Amino acid sequence: MPRQSIILTLDRIGSPVGEVLVATDGEGAVRALDFHDYEERLRRLLRRHYGPVELVQGRAPEAVRTAVEAYFGGDLAAFDGVVVKTGGTVFQQAVWAALRAIPAGETRSYGQLAAAIGSPKAVRAVGLANGSNPVGVIVPCHRVIGANGTLTGYAGGLERKRWLLAHEAGGRLI
Amino acid sequence: MPRQSIILTLDRIGSPVGEVLVATDGEGAVRALDFHDYEERLRRLLRRHYGPVELVQGRAPEAVRTAVEAYFGGDLAAFDGVVVKTGGTVFQQAVWAALRAIPAGETRSYGQLAAAIGSPKAVRAVGLANGSNPVGVIVPCHRVIGANGTLTGYAGGLERKRWLLAHEAGGRLI
DNA sequence: CGATGTCTCGCGGTTTTCGGACATCAATGA
DNA sequence: TCATTGATGTCCGAAAACCGCGAGACATCG
């Protein structure tokens, strides 16, 4: 069911774990964020939620660029003011909202997250929703780990998940 | 994939074969036309092609209203200048375009139509596409009949198909 | 013989249905 | 200790069903 395609700006920002792709809309809200080697995935997720998407290379709003650089530089609260906007089902929206409520430096298990949104048994569903989060890092899906402490999975690669958690732990062991 | 719903204006115009429903968009193009007793079908087809649709009661552009009244009054060329806009697959678009090329007063068989769009064997598929034409009467799906001359089917009811063809034959037998 | 009718089968898009797969986890039973 | 199972939301691909047909094979009937 084709509707006219939505147009987003795609910017690239350097980071210690590789270049980061950021897609922002006309109002400066972040619609997607992923690592450079997963550009295909980023496009797919956008298409899934919005239909045909046109990504034009360009510069994200300074506020967004600054926040990304600050975060990777160590300012873990840098994303607090950044506006993200997503499509997705009601369930997914709930999961992603719950993710943003996890403070940097802490983690939750998939079960805890499921309980937090009122569906304590929808544990695997939370995993799925997590995995189809279009806005990586800012919506911190990397802060969700297995009940027994293993990292389980991460769309950007477990290496990066480990790095992000260590970065947020600020030297403390995780 | 929920996008914000498209908004169309729904008007009702009297005709000798019952009230006619016309959905037009903001630019005055006709997006759907059907008979009053098939409103459900009209909504379904719109939804299929555009996703969620909001129909607000209102007046269609005068040009459209005039054309509809003129056609039923006997001016068979009244629709020539009317702009229609449809969704649908490539195949459906091809079929619907071919339909508009059939002059009033003439008919084609499903096979002829299939041949006209270059898929001589897609005969039943043409029937299907015909049956899911959202813009009745203006896109004259009623001008397609069986190879042996029988009327076969019509979404608005065979009675109306018969009436329309007689109307267009202008007194000649059909 | 010809006109007519009924049946059967193949045709080709589109829509629907269905069955997995999954970034889990707690409880069960061997 | 370890494999199994059930609960849950979503996506995706494959397969099946659906038809506004049409041509050909036969039967029937004056």
Side-chain angles (χ1 to χ4, degrees):
Chain A
M1 85 197 60
R3 262 161 281 190
Q4 66 277 23
S5 65
I6 170 177
I7 300 178
L8 301 177
T9 301
L10 184 64
D11 199 358
R12 296 159 191 279
I13 306 174
S15 97
V17 279
E19 205 180 38
V20 162
L21 308 175
V22 187
T24 47
D25 63 20
E27 287 149 14
V30 178
R31 298 287 190 121
L33 186 153
D34 215 326
F35 295 98
H36 67 99
D37 43 344
Y38 288 93
E39 178 164 345
E40 189 41 52
R41 187 188 108 94
L42 178 143
R43 288 174 185 273
R44 182 162 40 81
L45 288 180
L46 285 174
R47 204 163 43 237
R48 158 137 73 257
H49 293 308
Y50 304 116
V53 173
E54 193 173 341
L55 291 178
V56 306
Q57 308 289 332
R59 212 173 160 78
E62 279 314 306
V64 172
R65 291 184 60 94
T66 307
V68 171
E69 283 159 1
Y71 168 83
F72 281 107
D75 175 7
L76 303 180
F79 289 136
D80 284 357
V82 173
V83 177
V84 312
K85 204 145 130 191
T86 61
T89 66
V90 174
F91 182 85
Q92 290 171 329
Q93 306 258 9
V95 170
W96 298 333
L99 285 176
R100 288 207 80 176
I102 308 176
E106 300 187 16
T107 59
R108 298 285 185 278
S109 75
Y110 293 88
Q112 289 173 328
L113 206 60
I117 63 172
S119 309
K121 288 193 276 194
V123 183
R124 304 192 62 165
V126 164
L128 244 213
N130 230 6
S132 56
N133 165 29
V135 188
V137 189
I138 302 182
V139 175
C141 53
H142 57 277
R143 291 179 198 151
V144 185
I145 61 181
N148 58 6
T150 55
L151 297 196
T152 60
Y154 188 58
L158 283 182
E159 283 316 308
R160 293 211 180 92
K161 186 168 185 173
R162 206 177 336 269
W163 189 95
L164 289 169
L165 289 176
H167 180 59
E168 297 184 347
R172 279 177 288 119
L173 287 182
I174 53 171
Chain B
M1 86 195 62
R3 264 160 280 188
Q4 67 277 23
S5 65
I6 170 177
I7 300 179
L8 300 178
T9 301
L10 183 64
D11 199 357
R12 297 159 190 277
I13 306 174
S15 95
V17 280
E19 206 180 38
V20 162
L21 308 175
V22 186
T24 48
D25 63 19
E27 287 150 13
V30 178
R31 298 288 191 119
L33 185 154
D34 215 326
F35 294 98
H36 67 98
D37 43 345
Y38 288 92
E39 177 162 346
E40 190 40 53
R41 186 187 108 94
L42 179 144
R43 288 175 185 274
R44 181 161 40 82
L45 288 180
L46 284 174
R47 203 163 43 236
R48 162 137 66 253
H49 293 309
Y50 303 116
V53 173
E54 192 173 340
L55 292 179
V56 307
Q57 307 290 331
R59 213 173 159 78
E62 278 313 307
V64 172
R65 292 185 59 93
T66 306
V68 171
E69 283 160 1
Y71 168 82
F72 281 107
D75 175 7
L76 302 179
F79 290 135
D80 284 357
V82 173
V83 177
V84 312
K85 205 145 129 192
T86 62
T89 65
V90 174
F91 181 84
Q92 290 171 330
Q93 306 258 9
V95 170
W96 298 334
L99 285 176
R100 286 206 82 177
I102 308 176
E106 299 186 16
T107 60
R108 297 285 184 278
S109 75
Y110 294 88
Q112 287 173 331
L113 206 60
I117 63 172
S119 309
K121 287 192 280 193
V123 183
R124 304 193 63 164
V126 164
L128 252 209
N130 230 6
S132 56
N133 164 30
V135 189
V137 187
I138 301 182
V139 175
C141 53
H142 58 277
R143 291 181 197 149
V144 185
I145 62 181
N148 57 6
T150 56
L151 298 196
T152 60
Y154 188 58
L158 283 183
E159 284 315 309
R160 293 210 179 93
K161 185 167 184 175
R162 206 177 338 266
W163 190 94
L164 289 169
L165 289 177
H167 179 59
E168 297 183 347
R172 278 177 290 120
L173 286 182
I174 50 169

PDB file of all heavy atoms in Angstrom, chain B residues 33 40 61 73 89 117 125 129:
ATOM      1  N   LEU B  33     -15.639   5.868  -6.343  1.00  0.00           N
ATOM      2  CA  LEU B  33     -17.028   6.130  -6.678  1.00  0.00           C
ATOM      3  C   LEU B  33     -17.766   4.813  -6.622  1.00  0.00           C
ATOM      4  O   LEU B  33     -17.304   3.813  -7.176  1.00  0.00           O
ATOM      5  CB  LEU B  33     -17.137   6.755  -8.069  1.00  0.00           C
ATOM      6  CG  LEU B  33     -18.545   7.209  -8.506  1.00  0.00           C
ATOM      7  CD1 LEU B  33     -18.451   8.319  -9.524  1.00  0.00           C
ATOM      8  CD2 LEU B  33     -19.356   6.049  -9.064  1.00  0.00           C
ATOM      9  N   GLU B  40     -19.801   0.108   2.217  1.00  0.00           N
ATOM     10  CA  GLU B  40     -18.818  -0.697   2.940  1.00  0.00           C
ATOM     11  C   GLU B  40     -17.678  -1.107   2.015  1.00  0.00           C
ATOM     12  O   GLU B  40     -16.495  -1.033   2.362  1.00  0.00           O
ATOM     13  CB  GLU B  40     -19.493  -1.930   3.547  1.00  0.00           C
ATOM     14  CG  GLU B  40     -18.608  -2.682   4.502  1.00  0.00           C
ATOM     15  CD  GLU B  40     -17.789  -1.727   5.379  1.00  0.00           C
ATOM     16  OE1 GLU B  40     -18.351  -0.816   6.027  1.00  0.00           O
ATOM     17  OE2 GLU B  40     -16.559  -1.867   5.381  1.00  0.00           O
ATOM     18  N   PRO B  61     -16.023  18.779  -5.605  1.00  0.00           N
ATOM     19  CA  PRO B  61     -15.859  19.941  -6.482  1.00  0.00           C
ATOM     20  C   PRO B  61     -17.001  20.003  -7.490  1.00  0.00           C
ATOM     21  O   PRO B  61     -17.479  18.967  -7.963  1.00  0.00           O
ATOM     22  CB  PRO B  61     -14.530  19.654  -7.189  1.00  0.00           C
ATOM     23  CG  PRO B  61     -13.790  18.758  -6.261  1.00  0.00           C
ATOM     24  CD  PRO B  61     -14.817  17.944  -5.561  1.00  0.00           C
ATOM     25  N   GLY B  73     -27.443  12.199 -17.219  1.00  0.00           N
ATOM     26  CA  GLY B  73     -28.419  12.891 -18.048  1.00  0.00           C
ATOM     27  C   GLY B  73     -28.277  12.572 -19.531  1.00  0.00           C
ATOM     28  O   GLY B  73     -29.128  12.938 -20.326  1.00  0.00           O
ATOM     29  N   THR B  89      -1.732  -2.093  -7.547  1.00  0.00           N
ATOM     30  CA  THR B  89      -0.486  -2.636  -8.087  1.00  0.00           C
ATOM     31  C   THR B  89      -0.302  -2.174  -9.533  1.00  0.00           C
ATOM     32  O   THR B  89      -1.207  -1.605 -10.137  1.00  0.00           O
ATOM     33  CB  THR B  89      -0.528  -4.161  -8.079  1.00  0.00           C
ATOM     34  OG1 THR B  89      -1.544  -4.583  -8.985  1.00  0.00           O
ATOM     35  CG2 THR B  89      -0.860  -4.686  -6.698  1.00  0.00           C
ATOM     36  N   ILE B 117      -3.375  -5.199 -22.556  1.00  0.00           N
ATOM     37  CA  ILE B 117      -2.321  -4.789 -21.637  1.00  0.00           C
ATOM     38  C   ILE B 117      -1.111  -5.708 -21.735  1.00  0.00           C
ATOM     39  O   ILE B 117      -0.205  -5.639 -20.913  1.00  0.00           O
ATOM     40  CB  ILE B 117      -2.817  -4.748 -20.181  1.00  0.00           C
ATOM     41  CG1 ILE B 117      -3.230  -6.144 -19.725  1.00  0.00           C
ATOM     42  CG2 ILE B 117      -3.957  -3.775 -20.027  1.00  0.00           C
ATOM     43  CD1 ILE B 117      -3.546  -6.203 -18.244  1.00  0.00           C
ATOM     44  N   ALA B 125      -7.274 -12.781 -13.968  1.00  0.00           N
ATOM     45  CA  ALA B 125      -6.659 -11.695 -13.199  1.00  0.00           C
ATOM     46  C   ALA B 125      -7.283 -10.359 -13.594  1.00  0.00           C
ATOM     47  O   ALA B 125      -7.510  -9.492 -12.748  1.00  0.00           O
ATOM     48  CB  ALA B 125      -5.155 -11.668 -13.430  1.00  0.00           C
ATOM     49  N   ALA B 129      -8.995  -7.698 -11.118  1.00  0.00           N
ATOM     50  CA  ALA B 129      -8.636  -6.279 -11.082  1.00  0.00           C
ATOM     51  C   ALA B 129      -9.871  -5.438 -11.360  1.00  0.00           C
ATOM     52  O   ALA B 129     -10.111  -4.410 -10.718  1.00  0.00           O
ATOM     53  CB  ALA B 129      -7.551  -5.984 -12.112  1.00  0.00           C
TER      54      ALA B 129
END
